[in-house]
């Protein structure tokens, strides 16, 4: 396969959204195929396209890649967003894994019952403000640089700006006690490729709504 990467997933954020973010931040255009029915998903499995019978699926450089972490690390390496050496890569990995833990709470939130949503919002706020955001606030303050690792734009920066904006959708004032992250958000949002991705009409997906939740359940739940 040649040409643009091709992404197969639902027409929503889910586990594909960080892939969209990373490709967009790298300035890479991509095509998307949206799953809308159980039959489409089962055909991918029957055709042997999905190694572990799961999406996201990204077709890039002649490969049919699955598993979000593998996809992201390949893209980060390909587009020079993965540090200059093993130590920087290890730092990026640690930061990314921490952000992913926080984003998992955001990912499952739309599927929580109505009576649990307020409690889950409180949990997201508590984790963001007490466990995750303080780490990045401290890192940026200590080294006084624009980016998290090696004073160079990396995968970790992309993951962090995605997470900040996602948490702010639920808790608008979440950065009130984090001046370094406020400045980081402003810098990242003004980077040309990210600024373009944040504009209306970009491939960035809106927050999950009831329609998205229904589609997920229809496609993946027997």
């Amino acid at each position: 396969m040649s040409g643009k990467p091709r992404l197969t997933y639902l027409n929503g954020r889910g586990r594909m959204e960080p892939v969209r973010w990373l490709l967009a931040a790298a300035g890479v255009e991509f095509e998307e195929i949206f799953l809308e029915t159980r039959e489409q998903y089962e055909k991918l499995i029957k055709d042997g396209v999905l190694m572990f019978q799961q999406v996201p699926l990204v077709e890039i450089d002649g490969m049919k890649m699955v598993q979000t972490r593998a996809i992201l690390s390949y893209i980060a390496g390909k587009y020079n967003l993965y540090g200059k050496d093993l130590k920087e890569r290890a730092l990026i990995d640690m930061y990314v894994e921490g952000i992913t833990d926080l984003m998992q709470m955001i990912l499952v939130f739309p599927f929580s019952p109505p009576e649990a949503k307020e409690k889950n919002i409180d949990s997201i706020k508590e984790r963001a403000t007490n466990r995750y955001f303080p780490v990045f606030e401290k890192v940026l303050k200590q080294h006084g640089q624009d980016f998290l690792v090696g004073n160079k734009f990396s995968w970790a920066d992309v993951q962090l700006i995605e997470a900040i904006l996602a948490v702010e959708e639920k808790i608008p004032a979440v950065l009130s006690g984090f001046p370094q992250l406020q400045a980081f958000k402003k810098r990242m949002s003004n980077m040309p490729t990210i600024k373009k991705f944040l504009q209306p009409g970009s491939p960035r997906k809106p927050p999950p709504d009831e329609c998205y939740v229904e589609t997920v359940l229809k496609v993946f739940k027997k």
Side-chain angles (χ1 to χ4, degrees):
M1 193 190 84
S2 61
K4 298 176 183 178
R6 186 164 64 178
L7 283 52
T8 300
Y9 198 69
L10 304 176
N11 188 10
R13 289 184 183 176
R15 299 190 183 280
M16 185 66 90
E17 193 69 355
V19 177
R20 299 183 185 107
W21 263 93
L22 194 57
L23 285 168
V28 179
E29 293 185 355
F30 52 87
E31 300 172 349
E32 296 198 75
I33 296 173
F34 298 126
L35 300 177
E36 298 176 343
T37 66
R38 177 80 187 176
E39 289 71 28
Q40 288 174 296
Y41 174 53
E42 288 178 341
K43 185 177 188 306
L44 289 175
I45 295 173
K46 184 179 178 182
D47 291 348
V49 174
L50 304 178
M51 184 180 289
F52 299 109
Q53 302 183 17
Q54 295 171 314
V55 289
L57 167 67
V58 173
E59 297 172 78
I60 184 171
D61 294 342
M63 298 185 292
K64 290 179 169 60
M65 295 196 71
V66 296
Q67 296 297 328
T68 309
R69 170 71 201 217
I71 294 166
L72 288 167
S73 59
Y74 181 83
I75 293 168
K78 179 178 173 68
Y79 295 105
N80 199 25
L81 297 170
Y82 209 175
K84 71 177 187 297
D85 54 31
L86 279 174
K87 287 186 177 180
E88 286 195 358
R89 185 167 290 194
L91 266 180
I92 290 169
D93 284 341
M94 286 194 290
Y95 293 156
V96 163
E97 287 296 305
I99 298 164
T100 301
D101 289 345
L102 174 59
M103 287 299 290
Q104 178 64 20
M105 300 176 74
I106 300 283
L107 195 67
V108 301
F109 178 82
F111 301 92
S112 56
E115 63 272 15
K117 288 193 184 296
E118 186 175 343
K119 181 181 178 183
N120 291 344
I121 287 281
D122 289 341
S123 295
I124 292 168
K125 181 179 180 180
E126 192 277 329
R127 290 284 183 89
T129 56
N130 293 325
R131 181 180 297 188
Y132 295 106
F133 287 173
V135 170
F136 302 108
E137 181 77 6
K138 182 179 179 182
V139 167
L140 292 166
K141 186 174 183 178
Q142 283 184 338
H143 65 37
Q145 297 169 343
D146 288 348
F147 306 107
L148 289 172
V149 178
N151 202 25
K152 185 172 183 283
F153 185 51
S154 78
W155 173 19
D157 299 303
V158 181
Q159 291 273 112
L160 181 55
I161 183 61
E162 180 192 0
I164 286 171
L165 296 178
V167 175
E168 280 189 329
E169 287 173 351
K170 304 276 186 290
I171 308 142
V174 72
L175 290 188
S176 59
F178 301 99
Q180 298 292 331
L181 289 181
Q182 291 174 33
F184 174 86
K185 173 192 165 186
K186 185 175 181 180
R187 286 195 303 274
M188 293 302 106
S189 298
N190 282 312
M191 289 189 65
T193 55
I194 291 180
K195 188 173 184 177
K196 181 180 179 182
F197 189 60
L198 294 175
Q199 298 303 309
S202 85
R204 185 186 182 211
K205 304 306 177 211
D209 57 14
E210 289 184 8
C211 181
Y212 173 74
V213 171
E214 288 174 5
T215 305
V216 171
L217 297 177
K218 178 174 68 174
V219 172
F220 298 127
K221 301 291 185 183
K222 285 189 176 181

